[in-house]
Amino acid sequence: MDQITTNPIVIGIDAGGTMTDTILVDQDGHFKIGKSATTPKNEAEGFLASAEDAADAWGISLQDLFSGVNVVLYSGTGMLNTLLSRTGRKLGLITTKGLEDMILMGRGLQAWADYSYADRLHAVTHHHPDPLVPRRRTHGVTERIDQFGDVILPLYEHEVHAAARKLIADKVEAICIMTIFSHVNPVHEKRIAEICREEIAAAGADILVYTSHEVRPVIREQSRLNSVLIEAYATSRGRKQLKGIEDVSKKYGFKYGVQTLLSFGGLTSIDHPRLHETMISGPIGGILGAAYVGRLIGNDSLICSDMGGTSFDMGVITRGQTRIENEPLMDRFKLNVPTLHLDTIGAGAGMILKVDPLTRKVSLGPESAGSDPGPICFAKGGTEPTIADCDAILGRLNPHYFLGGKVVLQVEKARKAFEEKCARVLGVGVEEAAEGMIDMLEADANNALRRVISGQGIHPSEFTLLSYGGSGPLHLAGCSRGIGFKDIITFQFAAAFSAFGCTTADFMRRHSVSTQIDIGARASDDELQAFGAKVTGVWDDLTKAAVDEMVADGHALSKIKTVPFLMMRYTGQLEDVEVMAPLSALRSADDMRKVIAEFEAVYAKVNHRVSRYGEAGFSITELGLIATADKVKPMLVKRPLVKSDPASAHKGVREAYIGGRWHKANLYEMDLLQPGHEVIGPAIIEHPATTLVVHPQDRVHLDEWTLLHYTHA
C-alpha cells in the first residue's frame, strides 16, 4: 500500500446493527478504515471506538484526527430503533373530520408488509402495526379543501381550539396536523397550527407542532400522514444521538457541525428540518459507493449486495440509473420519502440458529445476536449459536485476528454450545451441521439475488456483482454461485464500504411537490409552452427554498448547484420514473419536447424489454429540485500489475472445513496483496475487518484498482 503523508480531512461513519465502521479520507483521496461494535444505547461510544481504531490505522491520535478534519458524516440507526421499539414522543393528531380512523385503518400494503408467506396465508396470525397515535388523541375538525385547492368548507376554528386544549391536557409532547389536500393548498393546516401555538402559549406548555405540508407536501394522504407522524415521533431521539456524536467530535477538536446521509443520497446537517429523510441512511451509502466505483472502472450495470451481522441488502444500478422509490415501507409504515431502492432480507453472520427438538426443523433468525451480547464466540454473554459461531468452528475465521486481534474468538465455547443446541438435536456431526447452517444462509441470499434479477427483467450476464459488508466476502462464494454474473467484485475495505459510500456523497437538499400535469400525445405547441411555463414556475419556487436552506447551513452561494427533476409516467401507468431535467427552465414547446424525449430515454433504460408507449400521452406527477455542494471524495488509485504469485502476502496455513471436508487452506493478508496477484482456493484472505473465503479450485485476482475479482471454478 502507498505511504500516506497527509492527515485525513473527512471522517465517514456507518453504524449498523452489529458493527460501526469508520473510513478516513485525505485531500488526495487516500483512505483507512476502522471498526468497532455498535453501542445502541449510546451510539457515541461505538462511534468514538471505531474512529479511534481508524486513527490507529492512520497512525495519529484522536485529537489530531478530529482537529484536522473538515467533515464528520454519520449514518446510524437511532431513529429507526426508536420506531421499532416504540419509544418516541407522545403525539396528538388533528385531522379533517371523517379521517380520524385513518391511522388505525392504514393501507392494505403496509398492514401485510414484513409478513412471511405462511402468515399471509393464515390471517389468524395477522395484526395491524401498533399506532403511533391512539384513537383518543386523534381529533377531527370540520374543514374541506378539494383536489384543486379550492375551499369547499371553511375551517371551524372553535373545534380546533377545543382539540388543542384537549391535547394539551393529555400532556402530549407534539401535535401533528394533516388535512386532506393540504399539499395543494395548505391554508387550513397553517391556521390550525397558529391556533395550536396560541393555545400552547396560553397554557405555558412546551409542545412542538408539525404540519404535513411542511414535512412532505405530496399526494397520498396516508403516506403523508405517516411521514409527519414519524418526523414528530422518532426524530427527537435521533437528534439526541446525533447531537451526542457532534459533542464527542467537538470535545476532541472538531470545529464544524456533524453531517448525516439522506435516504436518497447526499449529505445534510443533523439540524435538517426533515430528519426522517435520514432514517435508513446506512445501506444507502453502499449504493452510492457502488455507483462511484462503477464510474471509476467504467462499469454502469451493477448489482450491489451488503451482508453484515443482521441483514442482506441488495440494490440494482442499470446502465447508470438507480431506481428511486417514492413510498418506501419502514417498519410497516408507508412513507412519502424518496429513497434509493433496496431489497432486504434477514440474513447475516449474526443470525441466531434454532433447531426444533420435535421436528428437527432448522430456523435461521429472524433474530440477530447483534453486538450485545453478540455471537457465543465473542464471549460477551451470548448463549445462542449464530452463523458467525459456525464460521469460527469451521476455521474460516481466525480466532486471533478478529478486528485485528482486539477480540479473541472463543471457538471451543462456541463449539460446545452449537453441538448441544444444534448438532446433537439434528443427529449429525458438528462440522456437517455448521456447514449446513452456512449453506442455508448462503442459499437464502443466493435466492434473494435471483429474485431481484428476475423481478427487474434483467440478465445476470450483463451485470457485475459488488459484494461488501463485514460478512459479504466471508459468504461471497455461496451467495453468488451458479447465477452467472458478468463479474464478481469485492473490496479490501468491504467492511466499511457503506461508510466509504457515504464519503462519496455531496451535500444535498431535495425539495418536491405533487402535480397533475397530463400532456396529450398530440399536444399543440401552445399547450406544450403552457405546460413548460407551469413547470418552470414550480421549479423557481423550489430552487429558492433549497438554496436558502443550504446557505443557512453555511454553504457559499457560488458553490451550490441546482438540478430540477420530474416524476413522469405514460398516462394510465401506476409507476413513475425520475427524470433529471435537461434544462433548468422550459421556455418553448421544443424545450418541453426535450423533457419528454429525456423521459422516454430513461424509461427505456430502466424498463428493459419494455417498449415505449408515447401514444398514451405523458403525466407529470411530481416536480422537484436537487441542490448540491461538492466535497472531497476518496480515490481509488490505479497501479501497475505485478506477477501473479502472491507469495509476498502469504502468512501460513490453517485447517478449514469447506465442501464437506477439512482442507489445508493457504492464508493471505488482504492488504499485502498487489494488483496482478492471483489466489487459488482453498484459501482464506484475511483483513482485520473482514475475511474472504476462497473455495477449492475457485480463484481471486486483483486488478489495477486493487479490487478483488472472484471467479468460480
Side-chain angles (χ1 to χ4, degrees), residues 380-687:
K380 290 176 61 180
T383 58
E384 301 300 321
T386 66
I387 292 293
D389 292 309
C390 294
D391 288 316
I393 291 166
L394 299 183
R396 301 183 186 188
L397 290 177
N398 186 336
H400 302 290
Y401 199 51
F402 195 82
L403 293 186
K406 292 183 179 180
V407 175
V408 178
L409 302 181
Q410 305 298 312
V411 179
E412 275 309 308
K413 185 175 182 179
R415 183 184 181 90
K416 287 178 182 176
F418 180 79
E419 182 176 20
E420 177 188 340
K421 296 190 175 187
C422 296
R424 199 175 296 160
V425 179
L426 289 169
V428 298
V430 171
E431 289 82 5
E432 183 183 351
E435 187 166 51
M437 303 289 187
I438 291 172
D439 289 345
M440 285 181 63
L441 173 87
E442 293 174 351
D444 285 347
N446 188 290
N447 290 332
L449 285 170
R450 292 175 188 269
R451 284 196 301 272
V452 167
I453 291 165
S454 61
Q456 300 233 358
I458 57 181
H459 199 279
S461 63
E462 300 174 8
F463 283 76
T464 294
L465 175 70
L466 301 187
S467 175
Y468 48 89
S471 306
L474 186 63
H475 298 286
L476 172 59
C479 293
S480 60
R481 192 174 301 280
I483 297 179
F485 290 110
K486 177 182 179 182
D487 196 0
I488 300 169
I489 296 176
T490 189
F491 309 88
Q492 292 178 320
F493 51 99
F497 190 80
S498 289
F500 166 87
C502 292
T503 65
T504 68
D506 291 322
F507 301 106
M508 181 184 290
R509 285 291 189 279
R510 178 184 175 117
H511 286 249
S512 63
V513 295
S514 285
T515 59
Q516 190 57 54
I517 300 175
D518 296 315
I519 304 169
R522 295 171 181 80
S524 68
D525 283 2
D526 288 345
E527 289 173 323
L528 290 174
Q529 187 169 350
F531 289 137
K534 186 175 181 180
V535 169
T536 301
V538 175
W539 280 344
D540 288 344
D541 292 340
L542 296 175
T543 300
K544 184 179 186 311
V547 170
D548 285 351
E549 277 191 14
M550 295 199 76
V551 170
D553 267 356
H555 298 289
L557 187 61
S558 60
K559 297 288 182 71
I560 300 172
K561 298 177 182 177
T562 60
V563 179
F565 69 87
L566 314 90
M567 299 301 294
M568 292 184 67
R569 63 178 72 169
Y570 289 116
T571 300
Q573 288 186 323
L574 299 177
E575 295 292 331
D576 301 317
V577 173
E578 181 176 281
V579 181
M580 306 314 293
L583 302 165
S584 59
L586 309 180
R587 308 294 186 194
S588 66
D590 284 341
D591 289 348
M592 196 68 223
R593 290 191 183 97
K594 288 177 182 176
V595 169
I596 292 171
E598 183 69 15
F599 160 71
E600 294 207 288
V602 173
Y603 187 91
K605 283 184 179 180
V606 173
N607 296 283
H608 197 58
R609 303 180 188 166
V610 179
S611 62
R612 297 182 293 191
Y613 192 52
E615 292 82 357
F618 310 90
S619 294
I620 301 173
T621 59
E622 191 174 315
L623 292 169
L625 187 286
I626 297 173
T628 59
D630 196 15
K631 57 166 270 301
V632 67
K633 298 176 179 64
M635 179 178 63
L636 297 182
V637 179
K638 200 171 185 178
R639 297 182 177 90
L641 300 176
V642 300
K643 292 182 179 178
S644 62
D645 183 7
S648 58
H650 191 266
K651 61 179 190 177
V653 176
R654 185 170 71 243
E655 290 282 329
Y657 192 91
I658 306 172
R661 67 185 184 89
W662 288 98
H663 297 266
K664 290 188 181 298
N666 286 305
L667 304 180
Y668 296 91
E669 182 62 41
M670 192 177 287
D671 277 347
L672 296 181
L673 290 172
Q674 299 295 317
H677 280 170
E678 182 175 70
V679 173
I680 302 173
I684 297 175
I685 303 173
E686 296 181 343
H687 185 279

Side-chain angles (χ1 to χ4, degrees), residues 181 183 216-224 327 336 513-516 621-622:
F181 294 118
H183 64 283
R216 186 60 53 193
V218 293
I219 199 168
R220 297 186 183 94
E221 262 63 22
Q222 183 72 54
S223 301
R224 182 152 46 88
E327 287 191 291
N336 272 330
V513 295
S514 285
T515 59
Q516 190 57 54
T621 59
E622 191 174 315

